[in-house]
């Protein structure tokens, strides 16, 4: 089969189903992912046309129907090809001919799903990646997500009781709960992320595990892992800290620094967790491996074995990120919670040393610089909670205003969509000024929305 060329087109000629491989400006100056963009939303088309005049499309990764109108290239008044355009017209004719011949073989249906994301370094070979699409809007997904969240919370409480009474963990019950959580995240991850950030922030091991599980599944979905892998990622999150139940609670609640011996004791929770899981049949070996390595770091500074990057399982690297982010944004005896934005900055600063840089970038794309449920301060001085993201303009989410410019909590919230470029009293566009930690200015979104 003849290799299909890329083609430079005006953004006016862009259509749904095209894959944009290059821009006429650096990717870093845009809100788009660095690895290219499959156009499947009108917002993406609008933003591309706003930012660029020309782009390069990858015809091999574009839907056939999206290029049927090509070549629509300039001609002179007589219809003859102009000299400077003749080469491009020739290429475009070749493309049309190629598509005419290959259409039936390559595209047996009318629409084409977007291609999977390129594999990032370290992803396991042999895993066939898939494309996950939101099939429910945030508002539609919220009701079912509440039931799933309550069920998994109840399941984890039961796990903690079983551990306290020296009983085996029910892998069957956990797997069932994990499958339900995966299904909820699969249809729309924002609903479950909203709920986990609405819960009362505390140091309960099982609640931390639920939060990590949600971030793990969200990241895995973003990377294109199939459903069985997502279920294992969920299990990793739920179980990665079960060993903490065997650590002296006084050490876990210590506000001051720990002695070297005390720190060693706390770090034994990894081994304790593996001992617990060894007595609980039905746990996938990849889950045990990731739990064993979730405190390892790519520069070898982690524990318990001091493994280097290439020695650490990919799922364990994912768990390290999700675990660290959840911990940084939660109140701990020795540290106040960071805002989600500042926690992301910590992960960025540690990218390339503690965490794999490409994976950090993907985590930020999956969860967002201002994750759903996080508090932000707007340029108006108002305090708001992020409700849902715009896929293209990530810094212009839909928010709920919870406190006025004087930080007075409102009796009832009001919605504002920053994508619509609302303006303040002076005519300036309203934007996110900074991220806020949970409970800033006495504002707690759960007081409004968790029932």
């Amino acid at each position: 089969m003849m290799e299909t060329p890329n083609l430079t087109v005006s953004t006016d000629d862009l259509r749904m189903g095209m894959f944009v491989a290059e821009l006429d400006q650096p990717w870093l100056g845009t809100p788009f992912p660095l690895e290219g963009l499959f156009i499947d939303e009108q917002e993406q088309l609008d933003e591309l046309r706003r930012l660029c005049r020309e782009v390069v499309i990858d015809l091999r990764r574009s839907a056939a129907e999206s290029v049927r109108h090509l070549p629509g290239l300039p001609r002179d008044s007589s219809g003859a090809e102009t000299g400077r355009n003749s080469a491009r017209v020739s290429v475009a004719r070749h493309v049309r001919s190629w598509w005419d011949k290959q259409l039936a073989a390559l595209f047996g249906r009318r629409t084409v799903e977007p291609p999977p994301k390129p594999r990032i370094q370290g992803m396991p070979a042999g895993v066939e990646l898939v494309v996950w699409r939101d099939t429910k809007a945030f508002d539609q997904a919220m009701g079912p997500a509440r039931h799933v969240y309550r069920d998994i919370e109840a399941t984890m409480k039961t796990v903690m009781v079983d551990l306290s009474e020296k009983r085996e963990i029910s892998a069957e019950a956990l797997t069932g709960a994990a499958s339900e959580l995966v299904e909820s995240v699969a249809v729309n991850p924002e609903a479950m992320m909203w709920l986990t950030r609405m819960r009362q922030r505390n140091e309960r091991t099982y609640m931390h595990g639920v939060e990590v599980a949600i971030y793990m599944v969200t990241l895995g979905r973003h990377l294109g892992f199939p459903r069985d892998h997502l279920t294992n990622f969920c299990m990793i999150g739920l179980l990665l800290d079960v060993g903490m139940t065997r650590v002296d609670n006084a050490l876990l609640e210590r506000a001051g620094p720990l002695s070297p011996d005390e720190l060693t004791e706390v770090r034994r929770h990894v081994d304790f967790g593996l001992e617990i899981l060894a007595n609980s049949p039905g746990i996938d070996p990849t889950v045990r491996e990731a739990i064993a390595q979730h405190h390892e770091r790519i520069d070898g500074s982690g524990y318990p074995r001091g493994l280097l990057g290439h020695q650490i399982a990919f799922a364990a690297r994912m768990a390290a990120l999700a675990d660290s982010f959840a911990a940084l944004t939660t109140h701990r005896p020795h540290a106040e919670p960071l805002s989600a934005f500042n926690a992301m900055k910590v992960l960025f600063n540690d990218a390339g040393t503690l965490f794999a840089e490409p994976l950090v970038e993907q985590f930020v794309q999956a969860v967002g610089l201002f994750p759903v449920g996080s508090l932000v301060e707007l340029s108006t001085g108002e305090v708001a909670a992020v409700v849902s993201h715009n896929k293209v303009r990530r810094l212009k989410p839909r928010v709920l205003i919870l406190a006025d410019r004087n930080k007075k909590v409102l009796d009832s919230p009001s919605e504002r969509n920053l994508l619509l470029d609302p303006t303040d009293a002076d005519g300036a566009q309203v934007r996110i000024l900074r991220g806020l930690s949970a409970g800033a200015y006495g504002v707690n979104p759960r007081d409004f929305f968790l029932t």
Side-chain angles (χ1 to χ4, degrees):
M1 182 181 295
M2 187 179 301
E3 183 180 356
T4 316
N6 289 351
L7 191 66
T8 300
V9 300
S10 165
T11 51
D12 292 336
D13 289 327
L14 290 177
R15 299 289 186 273
M16 297 286 191
M18 285 185 171
F19 189 94
V20 178
E22 297 178 35
L23 307 179
D24 60 5
Q25 61 178 287
W27 287 98
L28 288 175
T30 75
F32 302 118
L34 301 180
E35 67 270 13
L37 173 70
F38 182 89
I39 305 173
D40 60 356
E41 299 282 349
Q42 183 63 42
E43 295 166 351
Q44 296 167 331
L45 271 175
D46 294 341
E47 190 71 358
L48 282 166
R49 288 167 178 161
R50 187 181 74 86
L51 294 173
C52 305
R53 297 183 63 185
E54 289 187 330
V55 297
V56 176
I57 60 171
D58 183 340
L59 297 169
R60 185 170 42 193
R61 301 174 70 183
S62 297
E65 61 270 22
S66 71
V67 298
R68 288 185 184 277
H69 65 292
L70 299 176
L73 301 178
R75 295 170 178 267
D76 63 22
S77 58
S78 66
E81 299 166 2
T82 62
R84 64 180 178 180
N85 289 320
S86 60
R88 291 176 63 190
V89 170
S90 177
V91 171
R93 282 179 172 167
H94 163 71
V95 172
R96 171 63 65 85
S97 175
W98 188 91
W99 279 117
D100 287 344
K101 293 177 182 178
Q102 304 301 330
L103 187 61
L106 289 178
F107 302 100
R109 57 187 186 279
R110 183 158 183 77
T111 60
V112 177
E113 290 296 316
K117 290 179 174 292
R119 294 177 185 270
I120 65 173
Q121 185 177 9
M123 289 182 73
V127 177
E128 185 174 350
L129 302 184
V130 298
V131 175
W132 293 97
R133 305 284 296 275
D134 292 357
T135 56
K136 287 185 179 180
F138 175 83
D139 296 340
Q140 295 175 318
M142 181 56 69
R146 287 183 189 275
H147 293 294
V148 172
Y149 197 99
R150 289 169 180 155
D151 287 347
I152 203 160
E153 187 175 5
T155 299
M156 290 306 296
K157 286 180 180 178
T158 300
V159 167
M160 294 300 111
V161 171
D162 288 343
L163 290 177
S164 66
E165 297 181 0
K166 310 298 183 184
R167 292 197 294 264
E168 291 181 355
I169 293 176
S170 172
E172 183 178 358
L174 264 178
T175 302
S179 297
E180 290 183 359
L181 189 150
V182 166
E183 181 60 30
S184 179
V185 173
V187 300
N188 188 319
E190 292 183 339
M192 196 60 73
M193 283 199 289
W194 170 269
L195 288 173
T196 195
R197 297 193 67 82
M198 291 302 102
R199 303 305 294 186
Q200 183 66 46
R201 316 297 278 175
N202 54 46
E203 292 76 51
R204 293 178 182 172
T205 296
Y206 70 86
M207 290 307 301
H208 175 75
V210 172
E211 186 171 3
V212 174
I214 291 169
Y215 293 137
M216 286 278 289
V217 177
T218 300
L219 176 58
R221 177 190 190 270
H222 175 77
L223 293 172
F225 280 95
R227 191 177 300 272
D228 58 339
H229 284 72
L230 298 187
T231 301
N232 281 340
F233 295 157
C234 186
M235 294 285 283
I236 292 165
L238 296 176
L239 296 173
L240 85 175
D241 273 351
V242 292
M244 288 292 191
T245 58
R246 293 190 182 178
V247 177
D248 185 352
N249 203 49
L251 296 180
L252 300 179
E253 296 181 355
R254 177 81 59 81
L258 300 177
S259 69
D261 288 343
E262 290 171 333
L263 184 59
T264 297
E265 179 65 17
V266 171
R267 289 181 170 183
R268 289 185 65 196
H269 79 273
V270 176
D271 293 330
F272 292 150
L274 294 175
E275 290 173 7
I276 290 170
L277 297 181
N279 296 321
S280 302
I283 304 296
D284 193 283
T286 61
V287 173
R288 301 176 197 269
E289 179 184 46
I291 291 173
Q293 298 177 1
H294 77 279
H295 278 294
E296 302 288 355
R297 299 294 183 260
I298 64 171
D299 63 356
S301 64
Y303 66 89
R305 297 173 57 195
L307 301 178
L308 293 170
H310 67 281
Q311 300 171 312
I312 305 171
F314 191 80
R317 301 184 209 178
M318 293 173 60
L321 276 175
D323 180 46
S324 296
F325 180 75
L328 288 168
T329 55
T330 303
H331 174 76
R332 292 168 289 168
H334 61 281
E336 289 298 314
L338 297 179
S339 69
F341 180 76
N342 285 334
M344 288 296 186
K345 287 172 63 177
V346 171
L347 298 183
F348 265 122
N349 289 337
D350 291 334
T353 53
L354 304 185
F355 308 111
E357 188 169 2
L359 195 55
V360 172
E361 293 173 356
Q362 294 299 318
F363 184 78
V364 174
Q365 286 191 30
V367 176
L369 282 173
F370 300 103
V372 168
S374 61
L375 282 183
V376 296
E377 184 174 356
L378 302 181
S379 55
T380 57
E382 296 164 306
V383 177
V386 176
V387 176
S388 62
H389 288 120
N390 177 274
K391 291 183 179 180
V392 175
R393 304 181 73 177
R394 297 183 182 93
L395 299 183
K396 290 181 174 289
R398 178 178 152 218
V399 300
L400 287 162
I401 311 299
L402 306 181
D404 64 20
R405 61 188 300 175
N406 297 315
K407 309 302 187 287
K408 180 182 177 181
V409 178
L410 302 174
D411 292 333
S412 59
S414 61
E415 181 179 317
R416 189 173 300 163
N417 190 346
L418 300 186
L419 179 65
L420 301 179
D421 294 328
T423 57
D424 60 19
D426 298 323
Q429 287 188 356
V430 178
R431 58 186 177 83
I432 293 177
L433 186 64
R434 63 188 178 116
L436 298 174
S437 58
Y441 300 113
V443 180
N444 194 337
R446 73 185 304 272
D447 294 339
F448 292 88
F449 306 111
L450 188 64
T451 59

